[in-house]
Amino acid sequence: MAYAELTPLQKNSLPAKTTSLLADDGVSVEVDDQSVFYRGGSLLTKGWVLGPDNAVDSYTEEITVSATDDVTGDGTVTISARAVKADGTNGAAREWPIGTTIKNTYTTSTHDQVIDNFIEHATLITARATKTTAAMSVYVDSAATGTGDGTSWTDAFTTIQAAINSLPVVLEHAVTIYIRKGASAYAENLTIQQLVGKGSLTIRGEYYWNGACAAAATPSTTKFNLTAADGAQIATGDVVLINHLYGANGNYTYYTFTTVAGTTDKGSNVWEIEVVDALDSGNIGTDDTYKIIKTCIAGTTVITATKSLSLRGLGLTSTST
């Protein structure tokens, strides 16, 4: 039997009573109250016993309900299967008189479904319980047009969650997911669940850390210089983190997030960076440092009980753990 959702039992349910004779070959039952066959608006198909209060155990019969005329009141209940279980005969349905009780309880069919589901689930877990055999690199690029298996930038996954879902169940080595900046932020709600194994997972966006700022040739609250060739890689729309040092000994800091409005090549590896928003802390000086973040996630990132996880170079709108 394939894995299937188990219809919940009706705990402490009231019984229904038959209102007509149920013949040996009958496939429908006239009852006095159809509402007891429902829970939360859903039909309970399994767990039904016909005659559960009979003094002779072998006279009770398990039935499977498939439909009713209505959800309340008296009416007809359709039965898709009848079988006598207690005496070992299958399908030898009895003739039941008017007033026979029908009760929802734990039956052979519900037991069998639980066992089958458990076996099927165990099989699925075993099949998925793969593990790393060496360090791994997985690639994500929203503009990739290759095979989409994450093995290279050409064949990168186009969503971050697809890359996370592709990982083996057990991480025994260092695994890094590299994410390129997209034309816009990755509009994904990410779920990163508990990691298993002695390895680690790093999710790394496309970013550049360039150390100290340099004084701008035309200083203002919206411009600063950097003296590094990586300035050529900074683009309009990148996120900027400015770390301002305050106090005589730089003993406390002030962080400012904004975005790049434009860049100007000043020559000799000096780049002037203009930001969108004015910075409340005043001009950016040589005591300040900056970080450019190119990869942003617009959705919510949910991290659940995860050890050995590192997030680097990512602009996160919202994170919960």
Side-chain angles (χ1 to χ4, degrees):
M1 182 182 295
Y3 180 82
E5 182 179 358
L6 182 64
T7 303
L9 300 178
Q10 179 67 289
K11 187 176 181 180
N12 299 325
S13 66
L14 296 174
K17 297 285 187 179
T18 60
T19 57
S20 64
L21 181 69
L22 178 58
D24 180 73
D25 60 351
V27 293
S28 62
V29 185
E30 297 294 329
V31 297
D32 61 353
D33 185 4
Q34 299 172 92
S35 65
V36 301
F37 295 92
Y38 288 84
R39 180 181 180 184
S42 298
L43 178 66
L44 304 179
T45 59
K46 292 182 180 294
W48 292 103
V49 177
L50 188 61
D53 53 354
N54 197 297
V56 182
D57 288 342
S58 63
Y59 287 178
T60 59
E61 178 182 347
E62 183 175 343
I63 61 176
T64 300
V65 174
S66 60
T68 63
D69 285 345
D70 204 344
V71 296
T72 59
D74 57 358
T76 300
V77 174
T78 302
I79 297 174
S80 59
R82 295 182 63 185
V84 174
K85 295 288 186 179
D87 63 359
T89 58
N90 187 25
R94 299 179 61 85
E95 182 175 270
W96 291 99
I98 297 173
T100 299
T101 298
I102 302 178
K103 180 77 172 180
N104 189 253
T105 184
Y106 196 77
T107 64
T108 301
S109 65
T110 54
H111 171 271
D112 290 347
Q113 186 65 69
V114 168
I115 296 301
D116 287 337
N117 284 358
F118 180 82
I119 293 173
E120 181 71 14
H121 186 64
T123 301
L124 291 173
I125 291 298
T126 300
R128 290 189 59 196
T130 54
K131 64 180 181 179
T132 59
T133 58
M136 288 180 60
S137 295
V138 182
Y139 301 91
V140 178
D141 183 352
S142 59
T145 57
T147 61
D149 59 10
T151 56
S152 66
W153 286 121
T154 300
D155 298 323
F157 290 107
T158 56
T159 65
I160 304 170
Q161 190 66 60
I164 294 172
N165 294 345
S166 75
L167 299 180
V169 174
V170 181
L171 303 185
E172 296 288 358
H173 304 80
V175 177
T176 303
I177 297 176
Y178 295 95
I179 309 169
R180 270 188 176 161
K181 174 188 176 181
S184 58
Y186 286 80
E188 298 185 51
N189 292 322
L190 301 182
T191 300
I192 308 172
Q193 297 180 335
Q194 185 168 352
L195 302 179
V196 179
K198 61 185 180 182
S200 63
L201 173 62
T202 299
I203 302 178
R204 182 169 181 168
E206 184 179 358
Y207 75 105
Y208 295 89
W209 174 258
N210 291 303
C213 300
T218 53
S220 72
T221 58
T222 58
K223 293 180 181 179
F224 68 94
N225 279 1
L226 60 92
T227 54
D230 279 342
Q233 306 298 326
I234 298 174
T236 300
D238 289 348
V239 175
V240 183
L241 168 62
I242 302 296
N243 181 13
H244 301 281
L245 303 179
Y246 281 88
N249 299 312
N251 53 3
Y252 65 93
T253 59
Y254 177 85
Y255 295 94
T256 301
F257 278 101
T258 182
T259 53
V260 174
T263 63
T264 302
D265 184 357
K266 309 296 287 187
S268 302
N269 283 340
V270 175
W271 295 81
E272 185 175 75
I273 310 301
E274 182 175 4
V275 297
V276 171
D277 302 314
L279 304 176
D280 295 336
S281 58
N283 295 340
I284 302 172
T286 56
D287 290 332
D288 300 330
T289 58
Y290 66 92
K291 184 177 184 179
I292 303 295
I293 300 173
K294 304 180 78 68
T295 304
C296 296
I297 301 173
T300 298
T301 301
V302 179
I303 303 172
T304 306
T306 302
K307 297 179 180 180
S308 302
L309 172 68
S310 176
L311 303 180
R312 302 182 63 185
L314 293 175
L316 303 177
T317 300
S318 176
T319 305
S320 63
T321 58

